[in-house]
Amino acid sequence: MPYDIEKILKKITIIKNCIKNLEELANLKPKEFVSDFIYYDSAKYNLQIAIEAMIDIGNHIISRNGLDSPKTYADTFEILGKYNILPIDMVNTYKQMAKFRNRIVHFYDDVNEEEIYSILQNNLIDFKKYINSIGAFLGQKLI
């Protein structure tokens, strides 16, 4: 069954919009970021949505290829790595992102402003790497 490219591109656009929002928040100084809950809440929301879009894309590709069925969100990235859809050296990073998404949703009291700010400063490139990998798999330039 062919991929629903329109669906994948819509999810890629969501990730790109989240990255843009997160990059803007990353420009804030640490004290400014933690001084206003709107910045923190916006960052958490955009991280959650971007990660969920990554998972949705992965599950779409897995389903359309008839690959192993993931039991967890982290499994989605494990399977994509196993079948060389994602680079194996990035799989653990993406699995950690899925686990972080679960923490935001289910263990929200275990996530703090400093951790979110650190992600903004150090890890946004991981989203772009994911988009590039999916683009390479589909034979399209997505960034």
Side-chain angles (χ1 to χ4, degrees), residues 74-75 77-78 90-100:
D75 286 350
F77 301 114
E78 186 76 36
M90 288 301 296
V91 168
N92 192 51
T93 297
Y94 299 135
K95 288 170 61 175
Q96 292 304 312
M97 291 169 79
K99 291 175 183 180
F100 181 73

Side-chain angles (χ1 to χ4, degrees), residues 11-129:
K11 299 289 183 183
I12 294 292
T13 299
I14 289 169
I15 297 169
K16 287 180 179 180
N17 288 337
C18 288
I19 292 169
K20 184 173 114 340
N21 295 341
L22 292 165
E23 287 174 338
E24 189 172 324
L25 292 168
N27 288 325
L28 298 170
K29 300 291 182 208
K31 284 187 178 189
E32 186 180 8
F33 180 78
V34 299
S35 72
D36 192 334
F37 73 92
I38 293 172
Y39 299 139
Y40 172 65
D41 286 352
S42 177
K44 281 196 315 184
Y45 176 78
N46 279 277
L47 286 168
Q48 177 187 339
I49 296 304
I51 296 166
E52 287 186 16
M54 291 169 61
I55 293 164
D56 289 345
I57 291 166
N59 285 334
H60 179 74
I61 290 170
I62 288 169
S63 171
R64 294 294 174 103
N65 278 301
L67 305 179
D68 309 336
S69 185
K71 293 177 180 51
T72 66
Y73 290 146
D75 286 350
T76 297
F77 301 114
E78 186 76 36
I79 293 164
L80 294 174
K82 176 180 175 183
Y83 290 96
N84 298 313
I85 297 165
L86 293 177
I88 201 71
D89 64 328
M90 288 301 296
V91 168
N92 192 51
T93 297
Y94 299 135
K95 288 170 61 175
Q96 292 304 312
M97 291 169 79
K99 291 175 183 180
F100 181 73
R101 174 257 175 227
N102 290 343
R103 283 182 50 221
I104 290 174
V105 173
H106 302 292
F107 303 101
Y108 42 82
D109 56 338
D110 187 37
V111 179
N112 63 51
E113 293 92 342
E114 292 79 15
E115 181 179 14
I116 297 291
Y117 189 78
S118 176
I119 290 168
L120 296 179
Q121 298 305 307
N122 302 305
N123 303 102
L124 297 183
I125 190 70
D126 298 332
F127 291 106
K128 294 176 183 179
K129 289 178 180 178

